[in-house]
Amino acid sequence: MSASQQTGPVTGERAAVSKVAAAIDRAKAEGRAALVGYLPAGYPSVQESIDAAIELARNGADVIEIGIPYSDPVMDGSVIQAATTEALARGFRVASVFDVVKAVTDATAALGTAVLVMTYWNPVMRMGVDEFARRLAEAGGAGLITPDLIPDEAAEWFDASEKYGLDRVFLVAPSTTPERMAMTVAATRGFTYAVSLMGVTGAREAVDQSAQRVVAGAREAGAERVCVGLGVSNAEHVREIAAYADGVIVGTAIVSALRDGGPAAVGRLAAELSSGLGRATGPA
Amino acid sequence: MAENAPEGSAAASGPNADTNDSRGPADAFLGGSLRHAAGPYYGAYGGRWMPESLIAALDELEETFEKAKQDPEFLAEIAELNRNYSGRPSLLTEAKRFSAHAGGVRVFLKREDLNHTGSHKINNVLGQALLAKRMGKTRIIAETGAGQHGVASATAAAFLGLECVVYMGAEDCRRQALNVARMQLLGATVVPVTNGSQTLKDAINDALRDWVANVETTHYLLGTAAGAHPFPSLVRFFHEVIGEEARAQILEQTAKLPDAVCACIGGGSNAIGIFHGFLDDPSVRLYGFEAGGDGVETGRHAATITLGRPGVLHGARSYLMQDEDGQTIESHSISAGLDYPGVGPEHSYLHDIGRVAYEPITDAEAMEAFSLLCRTEGIIPAIESSHALAGAIKVGQRLAAEGGDPSDRIVIVNLSGRGDKDVQTAADWFGMLDENGQVKGTTLSTRQPKGASPHTAGAVGTGEENA
């Protein structure tokens, strides 16, 4: 089941079956794409971020991304920046992310929701990659999405993710060459994160046409599971992407809902987004 | 030192060991030249800690740069611009009256302040703007702290017919309002950045966000020898001329190499430029002076190497001011150009192998040296460069204390920029302003203004154009 069956950079003992891959495959078995939802830990408080993530899972998200607020989020647009800046201003500490992961994992165990952490690399490096991975695994986390870590620099992360059986979600972009696509897909476990456009996170009117091309490129490179993110904000976008990708990633729209309407609003949005996943018609 | 030891050096050199030009302290000189280190790694530092979206652009830049370096036509173009546009070679001036305050050693100033646009920054922007044209890019973006790199970028863009957008922290815009106007006069768009600490690091974040979205048409003209590969080696390449000239000039003027070379360090571009000329001269001690702000013990400083620890920010692994969680700590310095919590990766390496000594200089020490140079040499230095001057005073006194005739000892200071931009800050520091922020004694005129027509303002504008 592991996406790293293609020779990854680290050989040796195989980790357990990817939790994220299992969640995506379950959606696939139901004839639909998976919904991947992002929320930052500690926004607007640690407890509310837990409540919101649970609402997200109960209303249709198969995979939850818990973001670690970071001082220099270069891949994030204004909405997520504002939320994570606020979390930091209120004293968010990185180690709290393990509490959030554990609480969400425990509360959604029956649903089989996979909980990933999305983080810029310096907080992981500061804690120590091995220690971070160990604590994430202990909390029940599925793995990491690493927006500013490319496989070229990820040797420590390969070791730690193998050791603790964690998924490694790397990003690929419209600018990614076929050579880098092959290298990145081979390094990935869980799913390949296809960035839909050249830009940062944020809601957009339409999903960029390049998204489909990135997904095709990833599949050509051997990716078993490809999810599309950036600029995805409504059920119509979800429907469009679900026709060709294995999963749809929504971030900014969920953070906006949490900001404006609390955890309940997150649940309502998740339910609406889920309606676009194509359960009725099946994948195109 | 234990606290500053590169915690991940073993691990970080592991994955890259085969492609790595890693040297230990022992073979800093034995292992051959330290010059022209090509990256991407400098020991355990450097690399590319960047979003995948930008890797193709970095590859394109690297390829273009590597070709250009070998292209006589490109090198001739740079040399011609340096000579006939920037005004190179810049002078090497002996500061005889200033020297008396530095233990009596002979202090020489490398006069980057005399370059067009008033600092060393022009060396790099012309080179990168030419590379941008070679890549077919029509737009450049830049970050700026004090405004010097922004002004230089706007200048190069105007000169080469490129669109220019400069990101500048809103706090820095306030501190350096005149430089905002200079950039606008040169046709650039200045975008005030209100995220985070509203200073240089946040300007870089926003420039990176712009670059990700516009990379097809846009070159990110990074202003210092930091960031993802190939920027550290590329920016150094265009500043190597400083050290090459200085070495030839000191040999010509004194027939020997200097005992020490001093430079200020923010990201570290002027320093790496002048150090490069002397890296392979073991007798020449190299000193990098970081911004000590209110004093390193206060926590309000920008002494990245002195008190930071390795981490990744803006694309490179290097020393970094960060808290226990790996969040970047806000830096503090009277000098906007040194007010940055990171530092170029080659400096981190040169620190670890002991080739360069890095020390902090407080705001107060820098301003004292600023005043001293004004009054002893008739040169108003940039506050950034004043950190190097303050350091040179200490180094000179130490050299003199080693015995012998101090006038046999030679110290070169890289005077990286001129202080015209800093007059307001200096006037404030030295108590020259009244409660309205006006220079004391300049508001005594009782004459009625001549009419109230807008042409009155026009006269002021004319004066500024000639400034």
Side-chain angles (χ1 to χ4, degrees), chain A residues 80 193-197 199-208 228-234 237-238 240-241 248-253:
Chain A
I80 291 177
Y193 190 131
V195 169
S196 68
L197 53 82
V200 297
T201 60
R204 288 169 178 84
E205 300 242 320
V207 175
D208 203 281
V228 173
L230 256 63
V232 186
S233 58
N234 58 43
H237 295 164
V238 170
E240 194 184 315
I241 294 167
V248 187
I249 307 167
V250 185
T252 297

Side-chain angles (χ1 to χ4, degrees), chain B residues 98 107-110 261-262 274 385 388-389 392 411-415:
Chain B
F98 181 85
V107 176
F108 289 78
L109 308 175
K110 181 57 179 163
V261 175
C262 301
I274 195 161
S385 319
L389 291 164
V411 175
I412 296 179
V413 181
N414 198 18
L415 200 70

